[in-house]
DNA sequence: GTCTATACTGAGATAGAC
DNA sequence: GTCTATCTCAGTATAGAC
């Protein structure tokens, strides 16, 4: 086969999305793709590296779009900083474009739900994250660095969970994530960023 | 050994917290606990069921405290509904009490990061979740049901991520989750719940 | 009722022939 | 580049000792 590598990537993407990363065995992938087990290790090295490539193929255009939107919003807002709503819009909304395959969100949800995204992001998306951190810092210059970083974490967690609830059968999951839901998340997180925190708050939670 | 079961539970809790669920093998647990491999299956049935028992032992007192706080706040607010800030305080803050062992948050973070919590919650915490959903519904009677449920998901995701960033080595992780951070999350999510959403919003994200 | 010893199946990984 | 054969280790199941 001339394009064993692509065949493996396509099949892995489909199965990772349908069954999850941990639950998908390399033997399942090779039987469906009609290739040999060792071919995966030859082309990708390991199951983890195969996942990285599957994810990267999908996420790179998303990150490209994220940065384009951020560039655009920064140009529109110049010389002032971009407001937090626009920054979060640039970060969140491109995820929802599922033009490549209808299984894309399912795959992203699986990866998030299995806790694999932070590690992949750390290895591959570090520069983009830095761009957004800088923009957020400029949008909220009065906010202490640590508080700001935690708000970013809250937002990442909320977005990850939004993508996760789709594939998992969860009693309260109301509907598939959609543009409407993503917009709701932008509003939710923006409002969260603007929340006033009371650093001196105390309570007796320990009975 | 008279208390093989407790020994397994303690060792599993420690190793699950230190290494994660998937990365901890049953053989690692038994060698550290000094028991036989089959003892795990005799007492717990499977690795998954062992995890359930480890988690339940930790989370049950948390859920008890959550409901106590909710009861208390409802009594204080009667005959009106409890405000969303108080509801989220009752839900989030009890998680941060780590009086049992210093590794507790690490364990919770791991479980969340590996996407195992939704399934455990579905199996064991359903009634408590219903209590809180009802309270939130009464606090925000004007909010459409679906929008409300998504806001709950955003909050759950943010909390899970807060607990997750501790064990994972993540470039931007600023500090360990603490009471201060948990209070920040309460403020963040409360503000998010109160955010005004614009259902008619549109944008051309597809280039 | 509890626990030990052992075997079974399937996973990811690897060496080496072609 | 590809494939066969094999290695190690995982979770699981069971028979039987105490």
């Amino acid at each position: 086969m001339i394009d064993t590598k692509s065949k493996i990537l396509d099949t892995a993407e489909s199965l990772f999305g349908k069954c999850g990363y941990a639950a998908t065995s390399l033997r399942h992938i090779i039987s469906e793709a009609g290739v040999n087990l060792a071919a995966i290790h030859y082309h990708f090295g390991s199951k983890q590296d195969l996942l990285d490539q599957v994810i990267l193929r999908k996420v790179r255009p998303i990150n490209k779009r994220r940065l384009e939107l951020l560039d655009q919003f920064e140009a529109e807002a110049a010389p002032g900083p971009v407001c937090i709503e626009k920054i979060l819009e640039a970060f969140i909304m491109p995820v929802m474009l599922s033009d490549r395959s209808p299984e894309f969100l399912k795959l992203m949800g699986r990866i998030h739900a299995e806790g694999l995204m932070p590690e992949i992001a750390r290895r591959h998306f570090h520069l983009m994250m830095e761009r957004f951190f800088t923009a957020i810092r400029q949008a909220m210059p009065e906010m202490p660095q640590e508080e700001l970083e935690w708000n970013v974490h809250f937002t990442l967690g909320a977005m990850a969970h939004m993508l996760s609830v789709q594939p998992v059968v969860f009693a309260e999951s109301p509907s598939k994530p959609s543009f409407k839901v993503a917009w709701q998340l932008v509003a939710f997180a923006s409002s969260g960023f603007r929340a006033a925190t009371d650093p001196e708050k105390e309570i007796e939670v320990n009975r």
Side-chain angles (χ1 to χ4, degrees), chain A residues 49-131:
Chain A
D49 289 329
L50 170 60
L51 175 67
D52 278 26
Q53 294 310 311
V54 168
I55 296 292
L56 277 178
R57 201 169 58 147
K58 286 296 175 182
V59 172
R60 254 195 287 253
I62 292 178
N63 285 352
K64 182 164 172 290
R65 187 67 189 132
R66 281 171 164 164
L67 291 174
E68 284 172 5
L69 280 176
L70 187 57
D71 284 340
Q72 176 189 327
F73 294 157
E74 283 180 341
E76 288 170 5
V82 186
C83 68
I84 188 68
E85 281 81 2
K86 284 296 192 183
I87 296 172
L88 294 181
E89 175 184 330
F91 186 80
I92 293 170
M93 295 312 293
V95 180
M96 304 309 289
L97 52 77
S98 52
D99 48 9
R100 296 278 178 172
S101 85
E103 301 234 333
F104 163 67
L105 284 185
K106 204 184 284 187
L107 173 65
M108 297 291 286
R110 285 283 187 185
I111 301 311
H112 277 294
E114 292 182 87
L116 304 168
M117 207 45 154
E119 180 60 20
I120 295 174
R122 199 184 55 75
R123 282 206 300 278
H124 300 292
F125 310 144
H126 193 266
L127 290 178
M128 182 216 56
M129 289 304 291
E130 269 310 312
R131 263 296 303 279

Side-chain angles (χ1 to χ4, degrees), chain A residues 201-207:
Chain A
K201 207 150 182 180
E202 277 304 326
I203 190 183
E204 67 299 341
V205 287
N206 287 302
R207 181 151 304 263

Side-chain angles (χ1 to χ4, degrees), chain A residues 18-39:
Chain A
K18 192 161 19 174
C19 312
Y21 172 74
T24 302
S25 69
L26 296 183
R27 285 166 173 86
H28 189 177
I29 296 172
I30 60 158
S31 83
E32 197 128 320
V35 302
N36 184 275
L37 176 58

